Amino acid sequence: MSPQPLFVAAMTSYAVNCALGASVAAGVVDTRRVRWVHHALYIATCTLAGAAAASAVLPALRPAGPAAAAAARRAALALAPAAVPLVVIPRVSARTARHPLVALTAAPFLVAGLMLSRR
């Protein structure tokens, strides 16, 4: 099994969540009654990113062949630092400018993991 779908799903969930958050901040979308959607996307992003990172070490998810396994390890290592902003973001008030800044610090690691998983 290839771990690439997990990296694609994690990146997609993250991008959708960022788009929703930016839309709410800009006043384009009103989520007062469905605030849980943003939180559910955050949980999905964390879960999918964790699964993608674990794909390099879990035997059921590890790709066959030494080259594919090495690529999965590189992708997982590139993604791993995204855990820091994903852990910090719930502790930063969404009413501050720091919230989107902290959230965006995960982007380079998610993109790097996705790009390396495609090799």
Side-chain angles (χ1 to χ4, degrees):
M1 176 180 174
S2 169
Q4 183 184 6
L6 291 170
F7 286 90
V8 170
M11 186 67 216
T12 302
S13 177
Y14 173 78
V16 169
N17 203 16
C18 286
L20 178 62
S23 298
V24 169
V28 175
V29 175
D30 180 10
T31 60
R32 278 180 277 192
R33 292 181 172 230
V34 289
R35 194 167 279 142
W36 61 269
V37 173
H38 191 58
H39 300 148
L41 283 168
Y42 166 75
I43 291 167
T45 300
C46 291
T47 302
L48 290 165
S55 69
V57 293
L58 296 177
L61 297 175
R62 192 176 10 199
R73 277 193 302 278
R74 283 191 300 274
L77 287 172
L79 175 63
V84 174
L86 290 175
V87 167
V88 171
I89 194 68
R91 291 159 181 79
V92 179
S93 173
R95 296 182 187 355
T96 66
R98 289 188 317 162
H99 188 81
L101 292 176
V102 171
L104 288 173
T105 60
F109 306 111
L110 284 157
V111 170
L114 176 64
M115 292 297 116
L116 289 171
S117 76
R118 300 184 84 166
R119 293 184 180 190

